[in-house]
Amino acid sequence: MISNILLVFKKRSKFFYLFVVMLALSNSALNMGILAFISNVISNDRLPIFYFNGWIYFLGLITFSLIVSKAFQTYLVKLTNNLLFDIEIVLLEKLRKATYQSFEKLGSQRVFTAMGDIRVIGRIPNQFISAFNALIVLICCLVYLFMISPAGMIGMLLMMSGLLVFYMVRNKRIENSLNVLRSLMNDYFKYLNDLLLGFKEIKMSNSRNDNLFNGYLKQNRLRGNNLTIDTSIKYLNNELVGNYSWYLVIGVIIFVLPRFLLLNTGEVVSMLFVILYMMGPIAVLISMIQVYTNVKIAVQRLNQFERDADIQLQTEVQGKNGAVPDMPFESLEFKNITFEFKDKTKHQAFVFGPINLKINKGEVVFITGGNGSGKSTFVNLITGLYKPISGNIYLNEHEVCEETYPIYTNSISAIFTNHYMFRENYDEFELK
């Protein structure tokens, strides 16, 4: 899945890096200009180049940055939505061509959560621009801080490095909780699906109704709620530690640095201003840790989604030799057909067959047997939903091969016990 995402991004983002460079230059110029203007106002020492008509330069920087930001963010809106569209279509295309066995492994609840994961990934470009802007401001502040006091800048880098290590260690624990939350969401959609699709059966049994709600739905949401509160508090604690660390930095600048570095009042005020200017961008970058964790989990889950699906794409209909001719039904024959189910450890759990059977036109056949005897498996084999692991199927005396399976399944009509009535006329029947 991640390779598909990268291919889609590469296809859609031809001018992305050009816009990034332009945005970096415009924002760097704007922020360095603002810092220079304000610092010189504080020190009452105007730069020679801005001595006359400095306001023109100031407005020019703002206008240039605004135009570039508007162009880039407009481009980003289109990129984000097109990226989301392409990834969804890729997933749906694979899903519609997957075998029925692959779909059974997934379950519809996994599909819904995968769609949610795609939307998390689709927000990456927007999150990137916020982080990128914050990073540019932070770099400009550090450069300017170095010009005021190299020792102060080094101390700031050490503090930020310490905070980053603190956040990453705590974030690892939060990531485990978020993974559990995603698993709970899979189960929630499964139970919700049972409630919606089995609503008649639910209403016909009070005990079934109570057990589904109290034992599964409510317990699932209760555990999810507790985990959400716990992770939210952990993120809150991280944020508070980060925010109040800055007050300690401000205290050090006010009370400690003037004594040890012999800074004058103008330099202290300039450093304080730069620190205050940095607080917003650093808060944005800290929030990106949570975004990064969510995206990481979404990518892992989508990759697991593909692995669990073991998607075997159905072969497209080809006009090759040996294709089953489009003719009225005459006979269907199974020769030494076998099929097997495997458990999660890939060990053989159930073997069906070998089956030898021929059904001719006009015959009515009843399949009987106890629970677990293989009736449903046989129906799925005869309708082409399952493919046998060995043996041969003949339709009208023509062998059904890999290339002609779509033709074979298209020749079968079935009404299952859990038959679904579509809400739209997908077969394009002429309804009068």
Side-chain angles (χ1 to χ4, degrees):
M1 178 57 69
I2 189 63
S3 59
N4 293 327
I5 294 170
L6 292 174
L7 287 174
V8 170
F9 181 78
K10 184 178 180 180
K11 173 186 173 184
R12 289 286 189 179
S13 59
K14 295 179 180 178
F15 302 103
F16 181 78
Y17 299 106
L18 175 63
F19 274 112
V20 167
V21 172
M22 292 179 62
L23 185 67
L25 292 174
S26 65
N27 281 1
S28 297
L30 176 64
N31 286 288
M32 290 299 290
I34 290 175
L35 287 169
F37 275 117
I38 296 177
S39 180
N40 280 274
V41 169
I42 293 172
S43 62
N44 198 24
D45 182 22
R46 296 184 180 179
L47 294 174
I49 192 173
F50 300 139
Y51 192 80
F52 298 104
N53 301 322
W55 62 273
I56 295 178
Y57 295 100
F58 186 74
L59 290 178
L61 286 172
I62 294 176
T63 303
F64 175 63
S65 180
L66 174 63
I67 292 172
V68 173
S69 295
K70 173 65 169 64
F72 182 66
Q73 292 192 40
T74 300
Y75 166 78
L76 206 61
V77 167
K78 296 178 182 178
L79 175 64
T80 301
N81 286 279
N82 288 332
L83 182 66
L84 184 61
F85 168 79
D86 285 346
I87 296 173
E88 282 187 338
I89 293 301
V90 167
L91 181 64
L92 291 173
E93 181 71 14
K94 281 193 172 186
L95 190 61
R96 81 179 184 91
K97 290 184 177 181
T99 63
Y100 182 66
Q101 293 165 254
S102 298
F103 179 77
E104 280 189 317
K105 291 180 183 178
L106 287 176
S108 58
Q109 71 277 1
R110 294 283 301 280
V111 178
F112 292 133
T113 50
M115 290 299 178
D117 290 331
I118 288 174
R119 297 200 170 274
V120 171
I121 294 174
R123 291 195 292 269
I124 290 177
N126 280 331
Q127 301 291 349
F128 168 82
I129 190 60
S130 298
F132 188 72
N133 283 332
L135 185 61
I136 291 173
V137 174
L138 180 60
I139 292 173
C140 290
C141 289
L142 289 174
V143 170
Y144 199 77
L145 191 60
F146 180 79
M147 295 168 60
I148 299 172
S149 170
M153 189 273 286
I154 294 173
M156 185 58 57
L157 282 176
L158 290 174
M159 191 206 81
M160 288 191 298
S161 299
L163 284 176
L164 179 61
V165 172
F166 171 79
Y167 291 143
M168 297 307 293
V169 170
R170 289 179 59 84
N171 190 69
K172 189 64 180 178
R173 301 173 186 171
I174 297 174
E175 184 179 332
N176 296 332
S177 297
L178 292 177
N179 266 309
V180 175
L181 277 172
R182 282 288 286 98
S183 298
L184 286 173
M185 187 57 65
N186 282 336
D187 292 338
Y188 173 66
F189 280 126
K190 180 173 67 177
Y191 305 146
L192 186 61
N193 211 35
D194 288 342
L195 174 64
L196 298 179
L197 298 182
F199 197 77
K200 289 186 295 185
E201 290 79 1
I202 292 297
K203 295 303 294 182
M204 293 175 64
S205 171
N206 290 333
S207 62
R208 186 186 299 125
N209 193 334
D210 291 339
N211 289 334
L212 173 60
F213 177 74
N214 294 313
Y216 294 88
L217 281 169
K218 187 177 179 180
Q219 288 299 319
N220 178 282
R221 289 298 81 206
L222 180 62
R223 190 180 174 196
N225 182 58
N226 292 336
L227 270 175
T228 301
I229 292 173
D230 182 60
T231 53
S232 298
I233 291 175
K234 288 178 180 177
Y235 275 124
L236 174 63
N237 292 338
N238 287 353
E239 185 178 344
L240 289 173
V241 169
N243 289 339
Y244 279 85
S245 296
W246 290 107
Y247 293 109
L248 294 177
V249 173
I250 291 173
V252 170
I253 293 173
I254 294 174
F255 300 107
V256 178
L257 291 187
R259 294 186 178 183
F260 290 92
L261 300 181
L262 302 178
L263 300 178
N264 59 44
T265 303
E267 290 173 330
V268 170
V269 173
S270 295
M271 288 186 67
L272 286 173
F273 166 73
V274 173
I275 296 301
L276 292 173
Y277 199 74
M278 292 171 62
M279 290 176 65
I282 288 182
V284 172
L285 292 175
I286 289 173
S287 68
M288 288 297 109
I289 296 176
Q290 182 176 1
V291 174
Y292 162 78
T293 304
N294 290 330
V295 169
K296 179 183 176 182
I297 291 174
V299 171
Q300 289 174 345
R301 291 285 177 163
L302 284 172
N303 285 331
Q304 187 65 42
F305 178 86
E306 280 198 320
R307 287 195 296 269
D308 289 349
D310 191 22
I311 293 177
Q312 307 163 23
L313 300 184
Q314 288 183 347
T315 308
E316 297 291 339
V317 179
Q318 305 288 340
K320 296 182 179 180
N321 294 333
V324 179
D326 185 12
M327 62 176 63
F329 174 79
E330 295 294 335
S331 66
L332 175 64
E333 185 176 5
F334 278 15
K335 285 189 176 181
N336 297 317
I337 292 296
T338 61
F339 183 80
E340 67 177 23
F341 288 102
K342 293 183 178 180
D343 57 23
K344 293 181 179 180
T345 61
K346 304 297 182 181
H347 288 95
Q348 191 181 81
F350 173 78
V351 179
F352 175 86
I355 294 293
N356 290 281
L357 172 71
K358 186 172 183 179
I359 303 173
N360 295 306
K361 180 180 179 180
E363 286 187 308
V364 178
V365 179
F366 291 90
I367 308 298
T368 63
N371 291 335
S373 60
K375 299 187 300 299
S376 297
T377 301
F378 175 74
V379 169
N380 287 332
L381 283 167
I382 205 170
T383 55
L385 293 176
Y386 286 173
K387 291 183 180 180
I389 61 172
S390 65
N392 305 96
I393 300 176
Y394 295 87
L395 179 62
N396 294 339
E397 307 296 334
H398 293 270
E399 183 178 355
V400 178
C401 57
E402 187 71 25
E403 291 80 7
T404 58
Y405 241 92
I407 297 175
Y408 169 63
T409 55
N410 202 51
S411 303
I412 305 294
S413 179
I415 299 177
F416 299 98
T417 55
N418 57 345
H419 187 73
Y420 183 79
M421 182 67 70
F422 293 109
R423 298 179 183 274
E424 300 293 340
N425 183 15
Y426 298 125
D427 291 293
E428 297 182 340
F429 293 125
E430 293 185 8
L431 304 176
K432 297 181 180 180

